[in-house]
Amino acid sequence: MTAASTIVLDHRSGTFFASIDDGREREVRDLASFVADRERERPRWVWDDTSWWYPRLLAEGVRVERCFDLRLCRTILRRSLLTAESELARAPLDGWDNARAPEVPPSGALFEFEAAPREPDDPVAEFRRQRTAVAGSAEPPRVDLLLAAESVGALIASELNHAGLPWDVERHGELLTEVLGARPSPGQRPLHMQRTLDRLRAALDGAEVNPDSPVELLRVLRRAGLDVSSTSKWELAEHDHPAIEPLLEYKRLARLLSANGWNWLETWVRDGRFRADFVPGGVVTGRWATSGGGALQLPKQIRGAVIADPGWVFVVADASQLEPRILAALSGDRSMIAAAGETDMYNAIVASGAVDTREHAKIGMLGAMYGGTTGQSGRLLPRLARAYPRAIGFVEDAARTGERGGQVMTRLGRTSPLPDTAWFQSQRDASSEGATPAGVAAARTRARAFGRFTRNFVVQGTAAEWALCWLAGIRQRLSALAGHGWFTTSAHLVFFVHDEVVVHCPIEHAPDVERELREAASAAGRLLFGDAGPSFPVTVATVRSYADAK
């Protein structure tokens, strides 16, 4: 067998099977021993779902270098414009499509993708279908890189869960007590929450309001003379009333209690580790999601509980201004690429004369990427368009495509979903002879909303691809540092959120890890954009507590 061999694993009726290089199938009696033995030859493991197979192997002390996740890759190939003409993309939905679907963005149901529940069929046949789709695509190397990145991301997600993020349970409890008060009896509120609620009720003339009920809270606020349409903190902060400060404080405390309070601690932290359940490709842009535990939102109030083991430290790396740099690379705008060559891209934009302050540079760029065409960002956009016409034109073109109901692609070919049938019907109704002004306005609003989605999809999705390549590079480099030992006994990844990674390592290895994190970021940029792309600097901090990283 050569180092490039492919081994397809299957599981039927309680029995494991392996097909080597698409050849004869053989029964595998001891999965962990079989994989460990074959892994020395560096094969490509092919299986239906990494989240099912890999935790079992890790639990037996077996780690693999690479895999091909048929479930994740099927989703990409089904939807990519680069493989739209393939037999796989045009085939009826089947059991392979009935996997865990990516989350729909909060703006609405942006695609329809349903299939009758049934078990996926032969993984060897599915692997052949997928390889045929890649080979016949418009750009096979581009698609192959995306599938490889998505698959290694699935390996990393399982390894993050297996390793866990070091967590000091006692310190977490102390932090909760400091902020909320002592843990209350069931059905009671912590002391500080109750006192804040008392202040809120006093500001509302003694009204017995339940702030945990949005409907009741909204009714009481309106009765107090506040013209509010929701209880969001952004809308509440616009009003001047004695009840606003205690209400916002109560909401902050309630959020901490529900999201990361004592119940969370008992549910998600085991053996001194927070084991997040990451979902690679869980959002349509390719960003990760979580199926519980809120790993993508660890508030600052509890990060002090994330403490490295004795003799170990965290090396935390954060990609600086990732999405603006991605936009510069995607558009090929030379002036913006030059600005991205500086450590602080926003300061470089100011130095170019495009805007007058760093804050304006940030607001303007976020508006360009997220569709902020009104208010301050709207006023700054024309100035940025004059300074960086190709970059701003790039996202504007993506927005116009979305407004027409079209699709856009990331750098590697991940493709945005189509709007749902109701969206298209609203556009048809608005252009019919009997269209009403209200219907036309509603259709225009829907079109613009979808345009904002596609505008950001190309940038956020490509940023997710860069992050996957960065993670893959980090994993490979840390493995080289570790040698042949088990990965958790040396420097290893323990946390990831969008553009930030946390490595847990012996303190003496921290300088090497810092270097590898920076070099992996540069390598990820070259892999996606070649030598002509911008630099991708990362801010690195070595700390004992995650709270000290920023």
Side-chain angles (χ1 to χ4, degrees), residues 226-290:
L226 286 163
D227 183 17
V228 291
S229 60
S230 74
T231 59
S232 74
K233 66 177 182 179
W234 309 112
E235 184 174 355
L236 293 173
E238 295 177 356
H239 295 268
D240 182 16
H241 189 280
I244 297 301
E245 185 276 327
L247 175 54
L248 292 178
E249 174 66 7
Y250 182 91
K251 289 170 69 71
R252 183 182 72 86
L253 297 177
R255 170 63 182 168
L256 176 62
L257 178 63
S258 63
N260 299 102
W262 291 277
N263 288 336
W264 179 92
L265 186 61
E266 293 169 351
T267 302
W268 290 99
V269 178
R270 305 186 304 277
D271 304 320
R273 293 292 191 270
F274 167 43
R275 303 182 188 279
D277 190 3
F278 290 105
V279 182
V283 180
V284 290
T285 59
R287 273 190 167 192
W288 286 17
T290 62

Side-chain angles (χ1 to χ4, degrees), residues 97-115:
D97 298 303
N98 196 40
R100 187 164 44 182
E103 290 181 357
V104 176
S107 56
L110 298 182
F111 62 91
E112 297 175 352
F113 210 67
E114 299 178 357

